[in-house]
Amino acid sequence: MKAYTTLLKAADTEYVTQKSRFIGHATPVATEEEALRYLEAIRQEHKAANHHCYAYIIGENAGIMRYSDDGEPGGTAGLPIIEVMKQRGVVNCAVVITRYFGGILLGAGGLVRAYSHTCALALNEAGICEMAPSLWMKLEVAYPQWDRVQHELKSLPIRQDEPEYTDSIRFGLLCKQTDTEQVLAMLMRVTDGRIRQLAQEECYAPWGQSGQAAQE
């Protein structure tokens, strides 16, 4: 398992220039089939549009890269879209830009700028995050240690689930696998070793640049 950069969520945005509407759609996808289903859904939603230009990059190492101008002059739509995606370093995602022609020709340069700009807007709206190998843990502490644990958690690079208050306090937390040793060491220190790990599960999770788990 290794980290990769992708989109946090699906998002739509719109850019209008010279009376042409460019609607940018961006989403995380895991497979090429999923990307093509996303494209088809947008085509069905916007049947009256003139073009549905797209690009997608699949695989942690960007092993699959596809794009299409969908009737626009060669090199003015699909290629600019995928170039913006490559500049941002995102994989496992798809971008579709729907164009409603406004009657004014933009020229090759205008089209490249419009598709590039709309792609950038869509990526910004979807949010870019690091998908990192992570560890979810279920932990248990006694009530006397809880205040110290809560205080320590505020400074740790983790995401915490809502605690369960019973005869003890149980809570889940998520952290990057690379931070696991540091997180557990701090929690052991503040509880004098009186914290129990009840369960754990390896997973991928989205993380923002601040080091905190990204939220949709």
Side-chain angles (χ1 to χ4, degrees), residues 1 130-137 173-180 200-207 213:
M1 298 176 72
E130 179 189 34
M131 193 69 72
S134 303
L135 186 69
W136 178 85
M137 295 178 284
L173 65 80
L174 181 75
C175 64
K176 291 183 181 180
Q177 289 187 10
T178 53
D179 293 330
T180 302
Q200 69 175 42
E201 180 181 349
E202 293 183 353
C203 59
Y204 270 105
W207 294 84

Side-chain angles (χ1 to χ4, degrees), residues 2-6 29 59-61 89 91-92 129-133 204:
K2 69 175 185 177
Y4 61 92
T5 302
T6 190
V29 293
E60 296 170 19
N61 297 314
V91 299
N92 284 359
C129 64
E130 179 189 34
M131 193 69 72
Y204 270 105

